[in-house]
Amino acid sequence: MTQHYRITLLPGDGIGPEIMAVAVDVLKVVGEQLDLAFEFQEALMGGAAIDAKGEPLPSETLDLCQNSDAVLLAAIGGYKWDTLPRHLRPETGLLGLRAGLGLFANLRPAKILPQLVDASSLKREIVEGVDILVVRELTGGVYFGQPKGIFATETGEKRGVNTMAYTESEIDRIGRVGFETAQKRGKKLCSVDKANVLEVSQLWRDRITALAPEYPDVELSHMYVDNAAMQLLRYPKQFDTIVTSNLFGDILSDAAAMLTGSIGMLPSASLGASGPGVFEPVHGSAPDIAGQDKANPLAQVLSAAMMLRYSLNQPAAADRIEQAVLTVLDKGNRTGDIMSEGMTLLGCRAMGEALIQALSV
Ligand code: IPM
Ligand code: MG
């Protein structure tokens, strides 16, 4: 029997529409092959929404997202909107989407593909075999804590304030995602905090430690965030699953992504307790190459695979897409960002065609 899914597409800005078009083509082909019917509905978000509607996350966009089975997001932002007041910036729309859908868990895999080891800026022996998953808390911490703002002091000097705060229940629910994710992977969980200085991190560490007995098969360790940044570069293979707060996860997931040398290859998933998840590449909107058919669509395509795996429970379809990506790379196809000697340089559309071809054999 045909399975029907309603997918909201948010192509966003910059290279977003180009890479989204490739992912949609791939989903259509896999859908036909595995009897999955996707109903795509497109909505405006980010700079595109600011230009058309005067706000980065129009309420009709959030409504469509809430009424779908999953959301596929490309990328938002660009120089054009960087100087607008904060509430009108594309990034504010993204934070609104995360909060509006209750997406407290952000999964960011950083797995190095054997075909691309030489794209890393680190030595082969350091990065070969790296397979890390960063579980980042996404709707709390200093990104959302109150009070926040820029306030005038008594002397008239301005003071900028953000608040890093977590409740026990917020820590517990992301901690559980961390343990459960580790259970499905290498069974090692490293919780990253700054408990030597911050009270909020002390509570974080206490709660994560308190959860550990419920997951006796997972080996738990704790690391301070500064050390974690260093260890990621020194000996990344020591990590399997990392669980951490919003800001630390923002920073460490970029560092982990760069180990692979190809941020253009990395997908991510943002999940809530129930309801649709949002799936998006880790990279940004790359306005410098937008509209030139140079973008790497593979992170977007792999985000569609994560969507099939995590939100739609269609692992066979996800496997097919991931295998097609490996096949095109094995054949020597590369976009500019992952190009190396002796390989074939393809544009965004041609990479999409190569994927369709790989799926069709
Ligand atoms: C990310 C980005 C966002 C964040 C920005 C664009 C708001 O850096 O998804 O990592 O800081 O969370
Ligand atoms: Mg970031």
Side-chain angles (χ1 to χ4, degrees):
M1 210 186 72
T2 311
Q3 287 274 352
H4 289 263
Y5 297 108
R6 188 185 296 174
I7 311 294
T8 300
L9 304 174
L10 304 173
D13 309 317
I15 59 172
E18 301 163 58
I19 58 176
M20 184 65 91
V22 172
V24 168
D25 286 346
V26 165
L27 281 170
K28 282 182 184 158
V29 171
V30 174
E32 273 163 30
Q33 291 172 339
L34 298 182
D35 209 11
L36 312 173
F38 299 110
E39 184 195 319
F40 297 109
Q41 46 188 25
E42 205 173 298
L44 289 167
M45 187 183 154
I50 296 170
D51 289 348
K53 305 265 173 184
E55 50 179 337
L57 181 65
S59 58
E60 59 263 36
T61 295
L62 187 56
D63 285 350
L64 274 186
C65 291
Q66 276 160 343
N67 290 306
S68 52
D69 294 302
V71 178
L72 194 58
L73 167 65
I76 54 144
Y79 320 121
K80 188 178 162 190
W81 305 283
D82 278 350
T83 49
L84 289 172
R86 183 164 304 280
H87 70 282
L88 289 179
R89 290 206 203 146
E91 290 78 5
T92 305
L94 187 58
L95 297 183
L97 185 70
R98 290 172 182 170
L101 294 176
L103 307 171
F104 68 87
N106 182 215
L107 310 189
R108 297 190 164 183
K111 181 174 179 174
I112 189 141
L113 299 175
Q115 295 93 334
L116 299 180
V117 169
D118 294 320
S120 176
S121 51
L122 298 187
K123 291 188 199 118
R124 171 177 276 270
E125 59 268 30
I126 304 279
V127 293
E128 212 162 33
V130 162
D131 183 355
I132 300 172
L133 197 141
V134 178
V135 177
R136 169 189 175 191
E137 201 289 327
L138 204 59
T139 51
V142 71
Y143 273 56
F144 290 92
Q146 293 290 347
K148 62 153 97 184
I150 299 175
F151 305 103
T153 63
E154 278 170 14
T155 63
E157 190 188 19
K158 285 182 188 159
R159 183 162 181 266
V161 179
N162 289 92
T163 303
M164 192 185 274
Y166 275 111
T167 60
E168 292 178 299
S169 56
E170 282 177 312
I171 300 168
D172 287 6
R173 68 179 181 177
I174 192 69
R176 289 187 191 287
V177 174
F179 279 106
E180 281 158 24
T181 307
Q183 271 178 331
K184 292 184 208 141
R185 291 174 40 89
K187 300 193 165 36
K188 275 171 60 183
L189 181 65
C190 179
S191 171
V192 173
D193 62 40
K194 188 72 186 172
N196 49 345
V197 177
L198 304 175
E199 282 74 12
V200 57
S201 277
Q202 185 60 55
L203 183 65
W204 179 281
R205 189 173 284 220
D206 293 347
R207 290 308 311 169
I208 300 285
T209 305
L211 291 177
E214 292 178 42
Y215 304 91
D217 52 335
V218 176
E219 182 195 319
L220 173 67
S221 62
H222 300 276
M223 206 179 269
Y224 298 135
V225 62
D226 49 349
N227 186 29
M230 191 170 75
Q231 296 298 333
L232 270 174
L233 301 182
R234 191 185 74 87
Y235 181 41
K237 270 176 267 190
Q238 71 187 282
F239 295 104
D240 171 51
T241 308
I242 292 174
V243 66
T244 191
S245 59
N246 205 341
L247 179 62
F248 298 161
D250 177 46
I251 299 166
L252 293 183
S253 65
D254 267 24
M258 210 51 221
L259 294 173
T260 71
S262 43
I263 197 165
M265 296 294 303
L266 299 176
S268 76
S270 302
L271 307 169
S274 62
V278 173
F279 300 83
E280 61 177 308
V282 167
H283 64 70
S285 61
D288 50 321
I289 58 164
Q292 299 173 29
D293 195 32
K294 285 184 182 164
N296 181 351
L298 296 177
Q300 185 73 58
V301 169
L302 291 170
S303 299
M306 272 191 114
M307 174 178 85
L308 288 161
R309 192 181 300 285
Y310 288 96
S311 261
L312 309 184
N313 202 17
Q314 293 290 348
D319 287 346
R320 261 188 107 79
I321 292 179
E322 286 163 1
Q323 188 52 53
V325 169
L326 295 180
T327 304
V328 297
L329 293 174
D330 277 338
K331 288 193 173 148
N333 297 309
R334 301 284 188 273
T335 42
D337 58 315
I338 51 172
M339 184 61 189
S340 60
E341 221 182 302
M343 301 293 141
T344 310
L345 181 65
L346 296 186
C348 183
R349 275 199 299 272
M351 186 57 102
E353 282 154 21
L355 284 168
I356 303 290
Q357 203 175 24
L359 283 168
S360 306
V361 289

